[in-house]
């Protein structure tokens, strides 16, 4: 069954075969993201964690120009309420709060989603769009796609979680090279650096995304969610903490029906039929 819904034409939302497809739909702007789009996607990801019918999430874009070229700097901003007379237009803390409740919230919604999230990178992913890719659990890129930590070209530091995410994927020296120069990273280099899991012809991108996502949607969803959380925390954990969390994760997962089904299917020598709970 397919459920096609959308908050607006700028970002599309549909569920199919256990997969939630989120598609940025502003191809004329390289799928630059407005505040409303960003907030809607974060809401959908939060909802996906609690929805037993969603077992995998795909984030992709329409068109060939861009996956997401970051924030829409030319418009599409939600206007703040007017300030009383005498209050300055900008107060210390405003910018940090905007980042924390904006792009950082979106990145955290990907990292904290209890379902696996795949990025289907159809075109250029720049700035916040690049870091949205880094936050995803798996990355499939079209051959023509590029990643750009474009911040330095604008005279600003990387945000949207990039300084946290990129060194953990490629190492500190490579991350500094990518961020200091702000050069385009080709799909081939992204795969070589360990950012992309797979690079495919653009014509095959949706097919491969569907294959990966629907395969994940048949697997033990709770076990994947627990594994995702443990892996994401592993860089901040010492050995004792990591192994303790692993043991409790196994304890928690052993109470799921899919864990029982996995053991039972092995004993009965048949393929497992995981339900996601």
């Amino acid at each position: 069954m397919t459920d096609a819904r959308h908050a607006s034409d700028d970002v599309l939302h549909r569920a199919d075969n256990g997969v939630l497809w989120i598609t940025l739909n502003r191809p004329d702007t390289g799928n630059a993201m407005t505040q409303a789009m960003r907030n809607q996607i974060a809401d959908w990801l939060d909802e996906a964690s609690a929805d037993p019918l969603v077992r995998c999430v795909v984030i992709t874009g329409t068109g060939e120009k861009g996956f997401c070229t970051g924030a829409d700097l030319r418009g599409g901003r939600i206007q703040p309420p007017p300030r009383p007379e005498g209050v300055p237009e900008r107060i210390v803390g405003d910018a940090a709060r905007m980042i924390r409740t904006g792009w950082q919230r979106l990145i955290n919604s990907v990292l904290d989603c209890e379902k696996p999230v795949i990025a289907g990178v159809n075109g250029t992913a720049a700035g916040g769009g690049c870091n949205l890719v880094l936050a995803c659990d798996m990355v499939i890129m079209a051959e023509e796609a590029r990643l750009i930590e474009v911040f330095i070209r604008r005279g600003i530091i990387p945000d949207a979680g990039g300084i946290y995410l990129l060194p953990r994927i490629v190492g500190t020296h490579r991350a500094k090279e990518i961020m200091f120069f702000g050069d385009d990273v080709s799909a081939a280099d992204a795969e070589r650096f360990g950012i992309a899991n797979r690079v495919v012809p653009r014509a095959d991108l949706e097919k491969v995304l569907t294959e990966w996502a629907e395969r994940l949607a048949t697997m033990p969803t709770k076990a994947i969610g627990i594994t995702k959380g443990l892996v994401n925390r592993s860089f901040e954990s010492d050995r004792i903490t990591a192994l303790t969390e692993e043991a409790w994760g196994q304890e928690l997962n052993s109470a799921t029906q899919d864990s029982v089904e996995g053991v039972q299917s092995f004993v009965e020598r048949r393929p497992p039929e995981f339900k996601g709970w």
Side-chain angles (χ1 to χ4, degrees), residues 95-168:
R97 187 182 314 104
M98 178 182 67
I99 292 171
R100 187 175 64 251
T101 61
W103 276 93
Q104 286 183 0
R105 181 193 170 217
L106 174 62
I107 297 303
N108 283 329
S109 71
V110 177
L111 295 170
D112 295 337
C113 183
E114 296 173 24
K115 312 298 168 64
V117 181
I118 305 176
V121 189
N122 55 297
T124 298
C130 177
N131 295 334
L132 176 60
V133 172
L134 300 181
C136 291
D137 301 305
M138 296 180 183
V139 177
I140 302 174
M141 296 182 67
E143 291 173 340
E144 301 87 350
R146 301 172 297 160
L147 304 177
I148 314 173
E149 288 287 349
V150 75
F151 301 92
I152 200 69
R153 300 187 192 179
R154 310 290 180 256
I156 58 178
I157 69 166
D159 58 29
I163 290 176
Y164 173 86
L165 294 165
L166 188 58
R168 285 164 168 76

Side-chain angles (χ1 to χ4, degrees), residues 21 58 60 118-120 140 205-213:
W21 291 80
V58 174
T60 189
I118 305 176
I140 302 174
L205 181 62
E206 184 174 354
K207 174 177 177 290
V208 176
L209 279 171
T210 301
E211 289 173 352
W212 282 41

Side-chain angles (χ1 to χ4, degrees), residues 174-276:
R174 182 71 73 183
K176 290 172 185 176
E177 175 190 346
I178 292 170
M179 289 181 165
F180 289 3
F181 288 119
D183 291 337
D184 295 10
V185 176
S186 68
D189 280 342
E191 186 175 34
R192 181 166 62 90
F193 296 161
I195 299 172
N197 297 85
R198 185 75 57 84
V199 174
V200 300
R202 181 179 279 127
D204 294 339
L205 181 62
E206 184 174 354
K207 174 177 177 290
V208 176
L209 279 171
T210 301
E211 289 173 352
W212 282 41
E214 291 189 354
R215 181 181 176 190
L216 285 169
T218 67
M219 299 181 75
T221 308
K222 291 297 182 183
I224 290 176
I226 294 170
T227 301
K228 171 178 177 173
L230 292 173
V231 171
N232 286 350
R233 287 194 298 275
S234 65
F235 286 96
E236 286 77 51
S237 299
D238 56 39
R239 175 176 58 87
I240 298 300
T241 301
L243 295 185
T244 299
E245 289 187 342
E246 174 191 286
W248 281 109
Q250 197 70 280
E251 168 82 14
L252 181 62
N253 187 69
S254 68
T256 66
Q257 291 186 28
D258 280 348
S259 177
V260 174
E261 166 64 11
V263 173
Q264 191 67 30
S265 64
F266 175 77
V267 171
E268 296 175 359
R269 298 184 179 181
R270 59 172 174 79
E273 296 182 9
F274 296 121
K275 303 297 185 183

